[in-house]
């Protein structure tokens, strides 16, 4: 599943190719994603310009603004699942929220080949120095999402898909004290708490295992029992792990490729993830594997206490 580094790699790859371009045409081939693609999305987006590409957790946020000379269609029904979006709409600006799900990719194609069975949505873009391109969303398992939101920027964090997300790991407020304060009284294992995403977002399965190894914390340790000093080490480890993964282009385990089709290779540098039985890169103790919340966890019994 694409996690924060993979989504950030996608965002950075998209920006130079889509920002400032006009959406000439939208083609939706399959509306049956995690939530049905809104009827009329083609009309809503056509003629708008992509002004920004942002990220919140694992969601890509494309700000789509209406150009002054573009025709204005009649208002459409409220986008599912943004049921409260009737208030504080901006008629000239909106956000396309895209989640890659388990197997989704979002690629820029200068010369788009014929669509395959899993190519569900195309945005035909013009206005760039290198001619027209196609932004194509592909998702074999269809657990991804493409949702339109007309909320203003100030109210976008209140969207039902975003409002429960924790702090971004690269936010200046994220540190050991933040983790310590928000885990008091929690009896769940620290690995499970990291994956929940309500305290800090983006520390998915791969990067939770790797961060806990770097911090020397066993993944089964109850979150409420970890000291402030150990959480300080964990906060640093989370940032370092995610930053390194972004630099390496993310992790390609099955389907993930960046917006240019390139695979990531952070998985080649993992300390413990998917290394069951292999010697720890620090102490040579065999790496162990357990299951937590139906997800595989990898750790070194010697280095992580």
């Amino acid at each position: 599943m694409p996690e924060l580094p993979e989504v950030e790699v996608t965002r950075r790859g998209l920006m130079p190719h889509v920002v400032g371009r006009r959406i000439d045409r939208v083609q939706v081939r399959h509306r049956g994603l995690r939530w049905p693609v809104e009827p009329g999305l083609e009309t809503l987006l056509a003629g708008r310009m992509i002004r920004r590409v942002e990220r919140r957790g694992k969601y890509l946020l494309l700000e789509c603004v209406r150009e002054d000379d573009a025709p204005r269609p009649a208002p459409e029904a409220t986008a599912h699942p943004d049921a409260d979006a009737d208030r504080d709409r901006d008629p000239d600006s909106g956000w396309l929220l895209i989640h890659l799900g388990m197997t989704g990719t979002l690629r820029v194609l200068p010369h788009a080949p014929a669509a395959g069975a899993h190519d569900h949505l195309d945005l035909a873009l013009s206005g760039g120095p290198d001619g027209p391109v196609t932004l194509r969303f592909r998702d074999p398992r269809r657990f991804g999402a493409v949702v339109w939101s007309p909320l203003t920027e100030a109210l976008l964090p209140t969207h039902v898909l975003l409002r429960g997300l924790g702090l971004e790991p690269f936010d200046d407020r994220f540190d050991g004290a933040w983790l310590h304060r928000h885990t008091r009284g929690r009896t769940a294992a620290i690995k499970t708490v990291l994956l929940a995403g309500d305290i800090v977002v983006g520390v998915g399965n791969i990067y939770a295992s790797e961060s806990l190894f770097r911090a020397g914390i066993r993944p089964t340790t109850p979150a409420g029992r970890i000291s402030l000093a150990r959480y300080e080490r964990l906060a640093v480890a989370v940032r370092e792990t995610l930053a390194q993964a972004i630099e390496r282009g993310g992790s390609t385990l099955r389907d993930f490729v960046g917006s240019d089709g390139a695979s990531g290779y952070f998985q080649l540098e993992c300390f413990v993830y998917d290394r069951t039985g292999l010697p720890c890169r620090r102490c040579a103790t065999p790496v162990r594997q357990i299951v937590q919340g139906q997800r595989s966890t990898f750790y070194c019994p010697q280095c992580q206490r």
Side-chain angles (χ1 to χ4, degrees):
M1 173 188 293
E3 300 180 6
L4 184 150
E6 290 76 48
V7 178
E8 179 63 17
V9 166
T10 299
R11 185 189 75 85
R12 295 182 185 186
L14 291 178
M15 286 179 60
H17 300 289
V18 305
V19 171
R21 287 186 183 258
R22 183 180 189 272
I23 302 172
D24 289 334
R25 181 175 55 86
V26 180
Q27 184 174 7
V28 181
R29 299 184 186 86
H30 200 303
R31 297 186 183 274
L33 301 180
R34 184 174 182 180
W35 298 290
V37 177
E38 176 184 6
L41 183 69
E42 297 89 336
T43 304
L44 276 169
L45 291 181
R48 293 180 184 261
M49 180 187 73
I50 300 177
R51 184 158 64 185
R52 283 186 291 167
V53 181
E54 304 292 343
R55 180 191 55 76
R56 181 70 174 102
K58 298 180 184 180
Y59 285 93
L60 287 164
L61 312 175
L62 278 63
E63 185 185 21
C64 303
V65 300
R66 199 184 308 283
E67 298 178 298
D68 291 339
D69 58 349
R72 301 193 178 193
E76 300 285 344
T78 300
H80 179 76
D82 194 8
D84 57 354
D86 283 326
R87 59 180 176 81
D88 299 301
R89 290 172 177 260
D90 184 342
D92 296 320
S93 178
W95 300 83
L96 196 63
L97 281 65
I98 300 177
H99 196 290
L100 300 180
M102 297 286 291
T103 56
T105 59
L106 197 59
R107 294 184 57 188
V108 176
L109 304 171
H111 304 286
H118 306 302
D119 297 329
H120 304 311
L121 183 143
D122 282 356
L123 301 184
L125 308 177
S126 64
D130 50 351
V133 299
T134 297
L135 182 60
R136 176 167 289 176
F137 178 72
R138 173 182 172 84
D139 186 7
R141 297 187 67 181
R142 301 208 307 269
F143 288 159
V146 178
V147 175
W148 172 253
S149 173
L151 288 177
T152 61
E153 181 176 2
L155 284 172
L156 187 62
T158 69
H159 191 286
V160 64
L161 297 177
L162 306 178
R163 63 192 178 203
L165 298 180
L167 207 59
E168 290 285 333
F170 297 110
D171 190 302
D172 290 340
R173 294 171 294 171
F174 175 68
D175 56 15
W178 175 272
L179 289 171
H180 188 262
R181 182 166 64 254
H182 287 86
T183 53
R184 296 308 85 192
R186 292 211 182 189
T187 58
I190 181 58
K191 166 87 178 315
T192 303
V193 169
L194 287 176
L195 293 183
D198 58 334
I199 296 177
V200 58
V201 296
V203 191
N205 198 44
I206 298 171
Y207 305 110
S209 288
E210 291 296 298
S211 298
L212 289 166
F213 173 82
R214 294 184 185 211
I217 299 173
R218 187 160 296 194
T220 54
T221 305
R225 295 184 183 178
I226 298 174
S227 67
L228 175 58
R230 300 187 85 193
Y231 269 129
E232 292 287 1
R233 293 200 298 272
L234 180 57
V236 171
V238 165
R239 289 192 183 199
E240 289 180 348
T241 300
L242 294 176
Q244 182 179 346
I246 292 169
E247 180 184 349
R248 301 294 189 269
S251 298
T252 297
L253 299 181
R254 292 188 181 90
D255 301 277
F256 174 73
V257 293
S259 59
D260 59 354
S263 299
Y265 57 95
F266 176 80
Q267 72 278 3
L268 302 178
E269 303 176 3
C270 287
F271 286 102
V272 290
Y273 185 83
D274 202 26
R275 299 191 70 245
T276 307
L278 295 176
C280 171
R281 297 189 192 275
R282 287 183 178 169
C283 72
T285 301
V287 172
R288 291 184 184 175
Q289 178 181 357
I290 59 174
V291 176
Q292 294 179 284
Q294 299 181 331
R295 306 296 298 276
S296 291
T297 294
F298 304 87
Y299 72 99
C300 172
Q302 179 65 31
C303 295
Q304 295 174 256
R305 301 289 187 175

